[in-house]
Amino acid sequence: MAEINIERKKTPVWRWLLVLILLALIGWAVYEFAFDHEDDDFEEVPATGMVTMLQVQPILS
């Protein structure tokens, strides 16, 4: 009888890298959309509702 050698194919490394990159992108997207980062940059000053005129100093020549 003839002997048949069966060898397993190795998974290419680029497929694993592609899977890791996709998982990283999905994780980043979930992090960005799950948390509200808009208010971190500045502190909002409450409005008083009062409007005042700007006082201009006359120029003396």
Side-chain angles (χ1 to χ4, degrees):
M1 256 213 281
E3 187 174 320
I4 300 173
N5 291 333
I6 300 174
E7 296 180 12
R8 288 186 159 194
K9 292 183 178 180
K10 294 184 178 180
T11 306
V13 175
W14 65 268
R15 286 186 185 173
W16 287 108
L17 291 175
L18 184 63
V19 169
L20 288 175
I21 290 171
L22 286 175
L23 286 175
L25 286 174
I26 291 171
W28 171 79
V30 168
Y31 174 76
E32 284 296 318
F33 292 116
F35 301 106
D36 185 20
H37 298 290
E38 293 178 9
D39 296 337
D40 295 344
D41 295 339
F42 61 92
E43 184 176 323
E44 189 172 333
V45 179
T48 61
M50 185 178 3
V51 178
T52 60
M53 294 288 292
L54 177 65
Q55 294 182 355
V56 179
Q57 299 289 331
I59 300 175
L60 300 174
S61 47

